[in-house]
Amino acid sequence: MKLKHVFVFIGGLFFGFGLAFGGMSKQEIVLSFLQLKDLGLLLLLGGSALVTAITINLIPKLLNNPILGGEFKKRKRTLNKRTVIGAIIFGVGWGMSGLCPGSAMASLGVGNLPVLIGIAGMFLGAYIMGRYFT
Amino acid sequence: MISSFMFPLGFLPYIIGGTLIGIGVSLIYIATGLHATQSSFFDTTISFFSKRPYFLQKQYLDSRGWRLTFALGVILGALIYTITLAAEGFFTTSVEWWRLAIGGFLVGFGTRLSKGCTSGHGISGLASLSSTSAVAVLTFIVVGILTALAIQSLGVLP
């Protein structure tokens, strides 16, 4: 077990705990946002993006390298048709089910086992995308 | 008045939950320089089983180990919340299986086509001040709302 995996695992614990604490492992709460009955999801998304923004914009100015070595990776994405069409398809799936990839994983931890059907669907969708649309 | 109307469960669960998620992503970034995001996990895990060149690209082979570790951490983190703090204990959704199946398929296909999900575009992308991710986030939130409202109007609940 590399030290990198230990940190990734502990970070994952915070991530999953936070998702469950914020109710995201309940599709009913995600859907209540998408039905505009409870806007809390925006606070959760905005809060997590804000904390992360402070870290990834500030830490590389203070440290030359990550603590375990390597480099601070830049997340590069170019805007094209696939970005937008993919986001539309994701939005339809999200609005139908209340599922997104991270919250689906956290759902397993709260014993929300019907979500396994959704995760199987996600693997199939990712496979069809990679197999026929690349 | 406005708070109970727009935030019936209050602000705190969302703000605390979001902060914890941000701490998790930050910890991984400070230690390793990696962006801990979710939807690439499907492609990198498929790479264990598929021989298609798309799934065997170097960045997937290099990251499939830690992405699996990350996913296990997320599951266990949610379990720890459930057995320590969740007043109602374990939870099972009442969303019908066909919505989970079809919705899940579209989520898998769409996030990989768009190269990001609520965490990749939503958290890491917005935090990186990426205009590409901002467009993606705006798009999936608007489409998600329209879809959920349309399904609700057909009488399909929750």
Side-chain angles (χ1 to χ4, degrees), chain B residues 97-120:
Chain B
W97 69 270
W98 60 270
R99 286 167 69 189
L100 300 174
I102 300 171
F105 178 86
L106 296 173
V107 169
F109 187 97
T111 54
R112 296 325 299 143
L113 187 65
S114 186
K115 292 282 178 273
C117 59
T118 18
S119 80

Side-chain angles (χ1 to χ4, degrees), chain B residues 62-73:
Chain B
D62 289 347
S63 66
R64 64 187 186 179
W66 74 259
R67 287 193 183 279
L68 194 57
T69 304
F70 181 56
L72 293 175

Side-chain angles (χ1 to χ4, degrees), chain B residues 4-91:
Chain B
S4 65
F5 175 61
M6 285 157 62
F7 301 95
L9 303 179
F11 306 119
L12 275 184
Y14 299 112
I15 291 174
I16 294 171
T19 303
L20 290 170
I21 294 167
I23 289 172
V25 176
S26 296
L27 177 71
I28 294 171
Y29 189 73
I30 294 168
T32 67
L34 298 168
H35 290 278
T37 59
Q38 297 283 354
S39 71
S40 298
F41 166 74
F42 301 118
D43 285 354
T44 61
T45 302
I46 290 170
S47 81
F48 287 109
F49 307 101
S50 172
K51 295 195 163 54
R52 305 292 306 179
Y54 172 78
F55 295 108
L56 295 177
Q57 54 184 290
K58 186 172 183 307
Q59 61 165 353
Y60 288 168
L61 299 182
D62 289 347
S63 66
R64 64 187 186 179
W66 74 259
R67 287 193 183 279
L68 194 57
T69 304
F70 181 56
L72 293 175
V74 171
I75 296 171
L76 196 65
L79 178 66
I80 291 171
Y81 165 77
T82 309
I83 57 184
T84 56
L85 290 186
E88 74 287 5
F90 289 102
F91 173 84

Side-chain angles (χ1 to χ4, degrees), chain A residues 1 4-29 31-45 47-57 59-60 63 65-75 77-80 82-97 99-103 105-115 117-119 121-131 133-134, chain B residues 5-9 11-39 41-43 45-46 50 52 54-55 62 65-66 69-82 84-85 88 90-95 97-129 132-133 135-137 139-141 143-145 147-149 151-152 157-158:
Chain A
M1 188 78 152
K4 176 173 108 174
H5 287 255
V6 175
F7 277 91
V8 167
F9 184 71
I10 295 170
L13 291 179
F14 274 94
F15 201 117
F17 192 100
L19 277 172
F21 194 97
M24 299 296 109
S25 49
K26 298 174 179 174
Q27 286 64 51
E28 282 79 352
I29 291 186
L31 288 169
S32 74
F33 163 67
L34 295 170
Q35 294 159 352
L36 303 176
K37 293 171 188 159
D38 181 347
L39 305 187
L41 186 145
L42 291 179
L43 297 177
L44 180 129
L45 183 60
S48 55
L50 183 65
V51 173
T52 306
I54 293 168
T55 304
I56 67 182
N57 293 292
I59 295 295
L63 298 174
N65 301 96
I67 291 168
L68 300 181
E71 54 176 345
F72 288 113
K73 299 232 188 316
K74 291 259 190 279
R75 192 175 182 282
R77 295 286 189 272
T78 20
L79 184 61
N80 55 37
R82 294 169 72 90
T83 318
V84 178
I85 295 170
I88 291 171
I89 295 170
F90 169 38
V92 172
W94 195 32
M96 270 188 78
S97 62
L99 290 173
C100 64
S103 71
M105 293 299 157
S107 295
L108 298 183
V110 306
N112 191 354
L113 297 183
V115 170
I117 300 168
I119 293 175
M122 290 179 203
F123 272 108
L124 185 63
Y127 180 74
I128 300 288
M129 202 311 280
R131 173 80 172 75
F133 294 87
T134 50
Chain B
F5 175 61
M6 285 157 62
F7 301 95
L9 303 179
F11 306 119
L12 275 184
Y14 299 112
I15 291 174
I16 294 171
T19 303
L20 290 170
I21 294 167
I23 289 172
V25 176
S26 296
L27 177 71
I28 294 171
Y29 189 73
I30 294 168
T32 67
L34 298 168
H35 290 278
T37 59
Q38 297 283 354
S39 71
F41 166 74
F42 301 118
D43 285 354
T45 302
I46 290 170
S50 172
R52 305 292 306 179
Y54 172 78
F55 295 108
D62 289 347
W66 74 259
T69 304
F70 181 56
L72 293 175
V74 171
I75 296 171
L76 196 65
L79 178 66
I80 291 171
Y81 165 77
T82 309
T84 56
L85 290 186
E88 74 287 5
F90 289 102
F91 173 84
T92 305
T93 186
S94 55
V95 174
W97 69 270
W98 60 270
R99 286 167 69 189
L100 300 174
I102 300 171
F105 178 86
L106 296 173
V107 169
F109 187 97
T111 54
R112 296 325 299 143
L113 187 65
S114 186
K115 292 282 178 273
C117 59
T118 18
S119 80
H121 284 312
I123 301 172
S124 296
L126 293 182
S128 306
L129 311 176
T132 300
S133 287
V135 170
V137 171
T139 304
F140 64 64
I141 286 182
V143 173
I145 289 171
T147 305
L149 290 175
I151 286 179
Q152 185 189 28
L157 291 168

